[in-house]
Amino acid sequence: LIISICSSMGFAACVTMTKCDLHLVSLLTKPLNKLGILLLPCCMIVTGIASVAIGSLAGLCAAIGPTLVGLMIRAAMAAAVIISSTLPNYWSPGSTDNIYVAKLANIPVMDMVTYVAPTTLILSALSIVFVMIVCLLFKDYRKEGFGSTGVHPGEDIQKKLPDLPEKPNLLMAFAPLLPVVLLFVISLCFPGVKMSVATAMLMGLIYVMIVTRLNPQQLCSKFFDGMGSGYGSILGLIIAAGVFAAGLKSCGLISLFIDYLKNSSDVAKLGASFGPYLLGIITGSGNAAAFAFNESVTPHALEFGMKIEDLGFIACVSATLGRVSSPLAAGVILIAGIAGASPLDVVKRSIPVMLCTIGALYFLV
């Protein structure tokens, strides 16, 4: 876990420092202002593609928010569109959720990615449909249907955010996607060749050095800074979840819960669907909720008649959906500020979408 997660976080730090992520966002968003009624679903697709390369919700909102919110008009629905479009992140082998569940299931992370890829595609498509329905229900398709609440005007936040380059560099725009593309191509076309996540991230770092021509010492230093940040934040949560789970086990609560879940896989799926979702809303963190559930319950999935991959994936997606339903999440607060809306107005629109998506998840897995 340390090697995979820390290398991913190190590469992400280098991509952010060199602004390669902004070149990717600029390239993806250029065609959007001519789409008319198709703008909303296309903005969700663009955000989904960007989420494969930018795993942090707050980082994604900071990079892509000002452009897309401006295109969709400054309103709560525009913010909800962006935070409701992050499920394609589960196509990324650098996703901490994929890495963690793959470790629990004792399978390569690329096997985990390919296993959940079809379900992720269906859920992503359904979320677009659900968002469009919510948009119609709230009448946000009309310019006069919803205006700024004045609670978070957003001007101060926008001034602090970096501007997108007018002419994106194609080589730099490809940099955030390179490790993902490498892992997919080698996994699908050359199954005999084994490439680890860390190897792909290091190759991505070398590519960034070449196309940006920045000082290698600065990039390497930033890479290790990102690794340290990943160890302190992501692995810190995993360790905390392990301590929490150990405490629950020692007082007998986990054994009681597992004995109850053994009676029905449907009950286990319900617990995985709504337990992490509620934790995500309460804490504003998807990782904290997912790690806590997966550390305690997911290793016993076979006893419930389920696969570890399935139960772990349900818990991770549920926690992710809970995070974007929480007005406490940093990414939600940031995108609400950019849109000039209250976080509560944003989650009023995201929660129905997330609940419908969880319902679909329950029947798909």
Side-chain angles (χ1 to χ4, degrees), residues 219-299:
L219 278 173
C220 288
S221 176
K222 192 64 178 178
F223 185 83
F224 284 105
D225 283 345
M227 288 182 68
S229 175
Y231 192 95
S233 57
I234 304 301
L235 285 166
L237 280 174
I238 293 175
I239 293 167
V243 174
F244 177 66
L248 294 178
K249 289 176 183 176
S250 66
C251 68
L253 186 60
I254 293 298
S255 59
L256 288 174
F257 186 53
I258 290 170
D259 288 339
Y260 177 71
L261 293 180
K262 284 180 184 177
N263 297 325
S264 173
S265 61
D266 291 336
V267 176
K269 286 174 67 176
L270 277 174
S273 298
F274 291 99
Y277 178 76
L278 294 175
L279 281 174
I281 293 177
I282 294 169
T283 62
S285 168
N287 284 335
F291 292 154
F293 186 92
N294 283 330
E295 178 72 26
S296 305
V297 180
T298 301

Side-chain angles (χ1 to χ4, degrees), residues 167-203:
K167 295 181 179 179
N169 183 309
L170 294 179
L171 294 177
M172 292 177 69
F174 181 65
L177 297 174
L178 177 62
V180 178
V181 172
L182 276 175
L183 287 165
F184 268 111
V185 170
I186 290 176
S187 174
L188 297 175
C189 301
F190 307 98
V193 179
K194 299 298 180 183
M195 175 179 281
S196 68
V197 171
T199 303
M201 297 301 166
L202 287 173
M203 293 181 71

